[in-house]
Amino acid sequence: MGAVNEPRLLAFDGGNSKTDVLLVALDGTVLARARSGPFTPHIIGAGPAVATVAPAVERVLAIAGLTHVDLVAGYLANADLPEEEAAIADAIASHRWAPRVEVHNDTFAMLRAGTDAAAGVAVVCGGGINCVGIARDGRHVRFPAIGHATGDWGGGFAIGEEVLWHASRHEDGRGPATLLTDLAARHFGCGSAVEIATGMHLGTIDRDRLHELVPLLFAAVDAGDSVAAGVVQRQAEEIALLATTTIRRIDALDVPIDIVLGGGMLTSRHPALIEPVLERIREVAPGAVVSIVTDAPIVGSALLGLEHLDALVGQRGSAAARRERLRATLNTPHEVRRHDVPDLVASA
């Protein structure tokens, strides 16, 4: 487990479906790991949301025989505004797990998971959609990313609604025929798309299952469905627009810049989505180097947390070495500790 007085970090990656917690040594070794449920401060409040993560934190601390660490770094979905980050940081600090807390949106962690460069742009398209950029002079570019009212469209939940919208209009004659109607109905075991929408309205079908319609959308595209292709094209345009707008705002149109893409829709690597995104980015910023992140977002959370920990202890570790050590220990059964804490699930 390392020296008793060695600095240690608690890293959080909180998402709409689960929250990963790592206890990490200064060299990047994962000492313990746990997982809790969704992180939803925008629904239940910052304090209750942090409380849902507390059993996982207490478990990883217990594994290492610790009561506290030097720093907590939380890179979290639904921490979209500075006010939200501050409220979550205060809630974490109240548990006294560490004397210092850093809380930021999880898209920053995805950027660090995909590149070691100081400057770059990250676009996530998973359950929702968001983008961040860091300029060469350290400026940050962000978007509110709190929904339609702030100009956002896309991600699994919005796409699911769009699939049902087209499927329902096919059924009642307001829209063109589409394979999405039958695909959606069969997937949910319903007689129609309207039955799915009605079930979600009444609560007999969990609305959180909307994202399950995304693979059906891609299946319809592969089968030549023009309605599905139009939805995917719109999503590609939104992803590219976020990226290119951010590239402009960080003054990187004419210089090499890393662009990191992540989230379930993008990591699917479906050519109908990826190819137009790449084409548009390269038209606007020919020097851009685009990659699809392969590391889990928690790797980025840990790397960013370790950068903050370096500042606390007055040293700077090798990002490349730490990344490899994180990857290695996250995949080592001895290091991925199982647990029996109620309401937690073992890491996959």
Side-chain angles (χ1 to χ4, degrees):
M1 287 287 183
V4 173
N5 295 322
E6 180 184 339
R8 290 178 172 89
L9 162 77
L10 276 170
F12 297 176
D13 169 62
N16 290 301
S17 60
K18 49 79 180 174
T19 302
D20 283 322
V21 179
L22 298 184
L23 177 64
V24 188
L26 188 61
D27 68 354
T29 301
V30 177
L31 304 175
R33 178 184 186 182
R35 176 175 287 180
S36 60
F39 190 78
T40 56
H42 60 306
I43 297 173
I44 64 175
V50 171
T52 66
V53 183
V57 173
E58 299 298 340
R59 181 57 181 169
V60 297
L61 289 174
I63 288 170
L66 299 173
T67 58
H68 61 277
V69 294
D70 299 272
L71 172 72
V72 174
Y75 289 85
L76 308 163
N78 306 310
D80 296 307
L81 301 173
E83 298 90 338
E84 292 170 324
E85 291 177 340
I88 294 166
D90 288 344
I92 292 172
S94 71
H95 288 266
R96 302 185 184 279
W97 293 318
R100 181 171 174 181
V101 177
E102 292 283 342
V103 171
H104 303 283
N105 183 266
D106 61 343
T107 313
F108 285 104
M110 197 191 77
L111 177 61
R112 179 54 72 237
T115 178
D116 293 329
V121 173
V123 183
V124 61
C125 189
I129 189 167
N130 201 356
C131 180
V132 298
I134 302 177
R136 287 167 293 170
D137 62 8
R139 288 180 297 113
H140 286 191
V141 169
R142 298 178 60 170
F143 297 84
I146 56 176
H148 193 268
T150 54
D152 311 306
W153 184 85
F157 293 102
I159 289 292
E161 288 184 333
E162 198 74 5
V163 167
L164 288 182
W165 189 87
H166 284 290
S168 296
R169 288 170 72 90
H170 168 204
E171 287 176 346
D172 64 24
R174 286 180 290 172
T178 173
L179 296 172
L180 296 171
T181 308
D182 289 340
L183 288 172
R186 285 204 302 269
H187 178 77
F188 282 94
C190 294
S192 67
V194 169
E195 186 179 335
I196 301 168
T198 301
M200 290 184 177
H201 175 73
L202 296 174
T204 56
I205 299 176
D206 189 348
R207 190 172 181 80
D208 287 343
R209 295 182 64 194
L210 273 170
H211 67 91
E212 295 176 17
L213 293 166
V214 174
L216 308 183
L217 177 70
F218 286 132
V221 170
D222 291 339
D225 188 278
S226 61
V227 171
V231 175
V232 174
Q233 179 63 33
R234 182 184 175 192
Q235 182 66 93
E237 291 170 356
E238 286 292 319
I239 293 165
L241 183 60
L242 279 168
T244 55
T245 299
T246 305
I247 293 168
R248 285 191 180 95
R249 289 175 63 185
I250 64 171
D251 301 318
L253 290 175
D254 302 316
V255 298
I257 187 74
D258 286 351
I259 313 296
V260 177
L261 307 178
M265 291 195 69
L266 286 160
T267 57
S268 73
R269 298 176 182 267
H270 196 285
L273 181 65
I274 297 299
E275 289 177 4
V277 169
L278 297 180
E279 180 180 358
R280 179 60 179 148
I281 291 173
R282 287 167 180 160
E283 284 176 357
V284 174
V289 177
V290 184
S291 62
I292 298 175
V293 70
T294 55
D295 285 330
I298 190 62
V299 172
S301 297
L303 288 169
L304 284 167
L306 288 168
E307 289 178 9
H308 289 294
L309 195 55
D310 279 347
L312 285 179
V313 301
Q315 69 178 67
R316 183 170 181 82
S318 164
R322 285 169 164 175
R323 185 185 300 276
E324 291 309 309
R325 198 167 285 112
L326 281 162
R327 287 171 173 163
T329 53
L330 281 173
N331 291 321
T332 302
H334 175 70
E335 297 291 347
V336 181
R337 306 304 179 103
R338 306 305 185 190
H339 48 75
D340 56 2
V341 178
D343 300 323
L344 300 182
V345 295
S347 299

